[in-house]
Amino acid sequence: MSNEPILLGEALASFDALWSPRIVTRVNDYDVRIAKAEGEHVWHVHDDTDEFFLVLDGELRISLREPSGERTVLLPRGAVFTVPRGTEHRPYAPSGAAVLMFEPTGTPSTGDRHDEIPDHVDSTVGHVLGT
């Protein structure tokens, strides 16, 4: 990890892969990850952790399967949302988005339980920025 300031615009410009988060820094035992998103991710669940999203650019939608039924939250640029642990969810970005996430280090991007992973989704615990 860098001991220098990180410009998120430059960090995002350093890779093209979609749904393939890059770790820009760590805070205690949490990764701060950025990702480019377009199209659909995969329905998945993080059993033991919440998942925080901040939309840096574009628009992200997150479908949620909750006890009360299924719903979708719309996150425009600048919006934040936390998916509670144990909630099945699927992010998608019809027109593309850039997203910043906070997750405990080692959290798989496709969760602990998930549907079949499509080829365009990278199942990872995050890549170090620059790789």
Side-chain angles (χ1 to χ4, degrees):
M1 295 292 110
S2 174
N3 287 331
E4 297 297 323
I6 297 167
L7 298 173
L8 293 179
E10 289 180 11
L12 284 160
S14 72
F15 66 97
D16 293 320
L18 298 174
W19 302 113
S20 184
R22 300 303 194 261
I23 302 167
V24 293
T25 192
R26 290 200 169 95
V27 179
N28 299 317
D29 296 331
Y30 279 75
D31 290 340
V32 178
R33 302 177 185 179
I34 56 171
K36 293 180 179 180
E38 189 169 348
E40 296 181 351
H41 196 268
V42 61
W43 280 103
H44 65 284
V45 176
H46 300 282
D47 290 324
D48 300 316
T49 185
D50 300 335
E51 186 172 15
F52 172 88
F53 294 88
L54 164 63
V55 178
L56 300 170
D57 194 29
E59 179 181 277
L60 184 70
R61 298 173 187 187
I62 304 175
S63 294
L64 305 159
R65 290 181 177 153
E66 302 172 312
S68 59
E70 192 171 305
R71 71 180 176 114
T72 298
V73 295
L74 173 63
L75 304 173
R77 181 176 180 233
V80 299
F81 184 76
T82 300
V83 175
R85 72 188 72 208
T87 301
E88 190 174 11
H89 61 287
R90 180 194 58 165
Y92 62 101
S95 302
V99 182
L100 181 141
M101 297 158 287
F102 285 101
E103 297 180 294
T105 298
T107 300
S109 62
T110 51
D112 304 313
R113 295 177 280 133
H114 50 75
D115 288 345
E116 184 175 323
I117 300 170
D119 291 339
H120 72 279
V121 173
D122 184 12
S123 184
T124 178
V125 293
H127 301 282
V128 175
L129 189 62
T131 62

